[in-house]
Amino acid sequence: MNEVKVLNSGEKFSHVSVGNLHGFEGKQFVKDSTGATSCEISFGTLPTGAAVPFFHSHKANEENYIILSGEGKFQVNDEVFDIAEGSVIRVATNCDRNLKCTSALPMTYICIQAKEGSLGGYTMTDAEVTERENLL
Ligand code: ZN
């Protein structure tokens, strides 16, 4: 059984871990542990031949699936395509989705769920270089 361990936290950050991904099984959401306010992040693993046991759709949130290991198939409504380690799949609201592992290795992935259309800035427009003593 997976659990989320809180490793460090401060006024401006939280650091949690689901542990070693090689032994990870099932699904684990981390928003409640990190206190995230902009997105929900989950880790998932599917063993060989397994798919998520249901299709689902989101009303307000898009999802971005990042495949960390393994290979498989992804279905959005009636379209099916191959996915593999390194794949990033963005799925819009109001459509059905599922994924299946077809490789001998389990398929491990991260899903990031955030409100569709909410990204107002990103690295090139939201970030700024700051002056800080490097303590690393
Ligand atoms: Zn979802």
Side-chain angles (χ1 to χ4, degrees), residues 1-2 18-26 45 106 108:
M1 190 64 188
N2 307 305
V18 297
N20 188 327
L21 294 179
H22 295 291
F24 185 86
E25 292 182 351
T45 293
T108 304

Side-chain angles (χ1 to χ4, degrees), residues 27 29 56-58 61 63 65 97 111 113:
K27 185 86 166 168
F29 293 89
H56 76 285
S57 178
H58 283 270
N61 294 337
E63 289 186 313
Y65 291 80
R97 79 285 319 264
C111 183
Q113 188 183 130

